Amino acid sequence: MNMTLEPPPVVSARGVRVAFGAVKALDGVDLDILPGEALGLVGHNGAGKSTIVNVINGGLTPHEGRLAYGGQESVAGGVGSARAGGVRCVFQELSLCPNLTIVENTRLMHRGLTGFGWRKRALALISQTLGDIFPGHRIDCTGTVGDLSIAERQMVEIAINFMTVTEAPRLVILDEPTSSLDAALAEQLMAHVRRFVGAGGSVLLISHILGEILSTSTRIVVMKDGKVVVTKPVAGFTAKSLVEAMGSVIKEKGHAAARAVAGDAPEVINLPASRGSVCGFSARKGEIIGLAGLGGHGQTDTLLSLYRARSSNWWPKRPEDIAFVAGDRSLNGTFPLWSILRNLSIGDLGALSSRFAIDHGREEALGEDWKAKTAIRTPDMHNPILSLSGGNQQKVLFARALSTPAAIVLMDDPMRGVDIGTKQDVYAIIRAEAEAGRTFVWYSTEMDEICLCDRVYVFRDGAIVAELKGEEISEDHVLAASFSGEAA
Amino acid sequence: MNALKPVLSKPWIWSWLAAALTFAATALFTGGSSAFGLSQATLTFAAFSVMVGLGQMLVITLGPGNVDLSVPATITLSGTLALKFMETESSLILPGLLVAIVIGLAVGMANYALIKLLRIPPIIATLSMSFLVQSLAIWSNRGLRIKPPEALATFTTGTVFGVPNIALAGLLLSFVIWWLLERSIYGRWISAIGQSPFAARMAGIPVDGTRFVTYVLCAVLAAICGYLLASFSGGAALNMGTEYLLMSIAVVVIGGCAVAGGNSNVPGIWGASLFMFLVVSMLNTYGFGAGIRLMLTGLIIIAVIVAASRPLNGRK
């Protein structure tokens, strides 16, 4: 080890500019990532985080500026030179092929796995890496990716990127890696990141969960409107100062305990206990019900079957009863060919129509109304939905459900990838709507959100294992209930 | 050039451009003398393709895997049974149309019943249905050529101010379908289902109901086409629907509708139908043999599809 020479940065970006039409996604960004450093990258939705990631991993050629990997100027650009520079990227939208097995997906990322017996070698490697990062995982590496839950897919994708076949990764980019992982898995991942960085690797970590950023990064970069606004070692930040640097102020967290739902409010959902559950599932008018537990333990299925039972697949019906907010946007949320406005208005076209004909004036008005209410970042609601960043697409899905008269709103972990400012706004809307008599059923992998609920059902293996009310709702109780059946 | 941009970005513009060029090439070859006759024939025959093309378009909008292969058999059955029912009685013209529509309803419902209840992919379900329907037509026809009522035959071959009545009927149906697709809730629903059936279901769209209506509409349009076609050509024949199988799909594709569903347009169906007829007449006028004619038809269609799919790639 030559300590006298300053090692060159793994990646160095200078004056990078990227524009999508009129929107300046990156406006002159300088960024260095040094070996042995975990760089935390934070900022609002649309601040340019995902764009700089795509520039670094070679997926996007900057319109201006230079890029160097390990001190070598990247001339050709593109994914090839990024990979040659040891850059690996775990995408926010998962990028595994669902029809292939985990081993086969490994081969896609690692060309070095060739010749006779590559499956065997790949299986050994991926099993070992998965075990290193997520000890005690229960993933069968010979199975197809399509059979995995979204959390397990995320785990596999992370493991594939940390794997060493012919050469070790020098920089691993993690874009919202814990968005679908529960607290225990997220902690395992963060521990692995610290080990990896300690051994001289580099990590670029993007997360909306500030606790992770503060506990794991060595240096933090704050982005805002396509620019880097602050770069400081982690010691210079507290959660509060970090949020202030991003440009939003944490609003006072009002605990749900302040809200008392009248015990005699009519029940809008009442299901008997399913097999293995300790109690039935019920919800009163105006209640916010949380679905907690480790990721992928039947919460989403519960929401889907609730929705299916209360909406017709054959007969048109105004959504007066129930509405759904997707968490997995590309699976059951957005309509990719459509504009933002059409994606919003599809929730309740009946309200915008007379005699089955859609009134375009009323549709426009609805769009402007919700654009203002949820601060959707776009110059024009007629732009394609895919022109929005992930968090802004999520706002559109929220607006779709909240603009209906539905008495019950189901939410399938909808805050994935949404920035803190917007989250606070949406929480406020949810509380106001609940006061007005709407019922929310909210599956969330984030503890802060579970704590906003009036009542919480904890799920394990598809069954309800605990019901928590008011003061009982806390991280400890939820975790205790989630693991309670472990010994049985 | 910039003023043209909004027009050039429309997916249907290429089929219209191709139709106009082919028309000019044919009319110029004959020194312009045949222009009027050619346009009348084109409008008439294109209108039949438009009627089946509209129905097929709605079905294809529903997304990958959705296609109705029972169109030709439905045309034949409805033409045969409707003419048989009318027995050349002019007073039964409207009830005859009703018979055709009922046949369309029945075939559409049966199609969707097969798809849904037996969980057969649409391409197989509608293909098997087409054998059943065609057999019914053969059984009821028994090789006799039944003539249409006199008044109906006159109407279908007649013109108003030089425009063929059939073209007007096609235009009327096109307007109805255009309204359904662009202005009504139903149009939004089929487009949503075509993009993502799961997301459509979770947005509160009655997915099965909408798909059911779409298959029924497609069969009804084919049945109306069969009724008019049989009357126009002086009687029902067992092979009268054959060419409309590929035609109905080709006009959807050439017209610039997304083959993967979710995005369709009505003007393109007209442009493509006009073009498909004009290509054949152009090659006939030039006196090419059958082999070369088919080959050139294929090449020209490929060229138009390549041109029409370019703006879509650019938008991505």
Side-chain angles (χ1 to χ4, degrees), chain A residues 304 307-308 311-316 324 331-333 335-338 342 345-346 349 353 356-358 360 363 400, chain B residues 112 116 179 183-185 188-189 191-192 195-196 198-209 212 261-263:
Chain A
L304 291 182
Y307 189 86
R308 290 205 174 103
S311 63
S312 171
N313 208 359
W314 284 95
W315 207 245
F324 177 81
L331 177 69
N332 56 16
F335 298 106
L337 298 177
W338 272 354
R342 286 191 170 204
S345 64
I346 189 71
L349 286 172
S353 320
F356 295 103
I358 296 161
H360 288 259
E363 192 180 13
R400 184 197 287 171
Chain B
Y112 201 66
K116 191 67 197 171
W179 183 86
R183 290 277 178 271
S184 77
I185 298 180
R188 287 284 174 92
W189 282 352
S191 170
Q195 295 173 64
S196 167
F198 193 6
R201 179 74 182 88
M202 299 315 288
I205 297 171
V207 174
D208 274 324
F212 171 76
N263 187 12

Side-chain angles (χ1 to χ4, degrees), chain B residues 161-185:
Chain B
F161 300 119
V163 181
N165 287 338
I166 289 293
L168 293 176
L171 210 60
L172 180 73
L173 288 173
S174 307
F175 185 77
V176 172
I177 300 296
W178 173 84
W179 183 86
L180 276 178
L181 187 69
E182 304 285 343
R183 290 277 178 271
S184 77
I185 298 180

